[in-house]
Amino acid sequence: MVVGAFPMAKLLYLGIRQVSKPLANRIKETARRSEFFKTYICLPPAQLYHWVEMRTKMRIMGFRGTVIKPLNEEAAAELGAELLGEATIFIVGGGCLVLEYWRHQAQQRHKEEEQRAAWDAMRDEVGHLALAVEALQAQMQAAPPQGALEELKAQVQEVRSQLGARDPSSTSKAVSTSKE
């Protein structure tokens, strides 16, 4: 499943990037036209980015104490607009990833709750079956043992045979007493 999800993630990322590019371009155009946006939103990050980049390059080349000149306003506005556009694309992509993560977590929680409910149902069913087994065992223990039942049948048979043997004599006695 992970292998199948990876191309979908790439496709989703490319789709988001394509959708967020027009938004980033719109922000860039607004940044270039608006003086407030240019001065307070685009220039400070552009100058900071330029300073960090130049400082890093100078240290790599071995120049440690050099002073870095700030960018002119036009170049800084352009760089700031580009940074803002890329940040917009990054934020939209990151937001989609976070939303996908939350959705996945919600699915996992739902799946775990279903498994827990199924487990609880099985546990309850096992409990009911255990009670039924105990009740059947109690009935089996309360019932007379099989040998006693056979013994009772034998006694009943014996009593019947004795009664059957007495009946003809008693009936003949009853007949003889009625003739007198």
Side-chain angles (χ1 to χ4, degrees):
M1 180 156 167
V2 174
V3 175
F6 182 70
M8 290 302 293
K10 277 180 98 173
L11 184 64
L12 181 67
Y13 172 73
L14 289 174
I16 290 169
R17 188 169 172 95
Q18 291 301 322
V19 168
S20 62
K21 272 188 179 182
L23 177 65
N25 289 336
R26 181 84 164 185
I27 290 173
K28 286 181 199 177
E29 286 301 316
T30 305
R32 288 184 187 114
R33 282 190 233 137
S34 170
E35 197 61 39
F36 173 80
F37 211 70
K38 187 188 306 181
T39 306
Y40 295 108
I41 305 224
C42 290
L43 290 180
Q47 292 294 355
L48 178 66
Y49 177 79
H50 172 70
W51 182 81
V52 169
E53 179 186 30
M54 293 307 293
R55 185 97 175 182
T56 304
K57 285 180 181 179
M58 291 297 187
R59 284 189 181 221
I60 289 173
M61 291 191 294
F63 302 112
R64 295 213 180 249
T66 47
V67 176
I68 298 166
K69 294 182 182 177
L71 286 174
N72 64 14
E73 191 172 312
E74 188 65 31
E78 188 67 31
L79 180 61
E82 288 295 320
L83 286 173
L84 190 59
E86 290 299 316
T88 302
I89 292 171
F90 179 75
I91 288 170
V92 168
C96 287
L97 288 175
V98 167
L99 289 174
E100 181 64 24
Y101 176 76
W102 283 344
R103 186 185 67 79
H104 180 70
Q105 289 297 323
Q107 284 179 344
Q108 283 294 107
R109 269 192 306 263
H110 182 66
K111 188 176 179 181
E112 288 173 2
E113 287 171 1
E114 285 178 351
Q115 287 176 345
R116 192 174 300 121
W119 183 257
D120 290 342
M122 282 187 202
R123 190 177 310 143
D124 290 344
E125 184 67 24
V126 167
H128 291 301
L129 291 173
L131 290 175
V133 166
E134 286 177 13
L136 287 174
Q137 284 178 343
Q139 285 178 353
M140 290 296 292
Q141 288 174 355
Q146 191 68 19
L149 192 60
E150 293 297 325
E151 190 178 309
L152 279 175
K153 282 183 182 178
Q155 286 175 359
V156 167
Q157 203 65 323
E158 191 176 310
V159 168
R160 279 188 185 162
S161 64
Q162 287 175 358
L163 285 176
R166 288 185 192 166
D167 271 346
S169 62
S170 63
T171 54
S172 61
K173 286 181 185 176
V175 170
S176 60
T177 53
S178 62
K179 286 183 185 180
E180 294 174 6

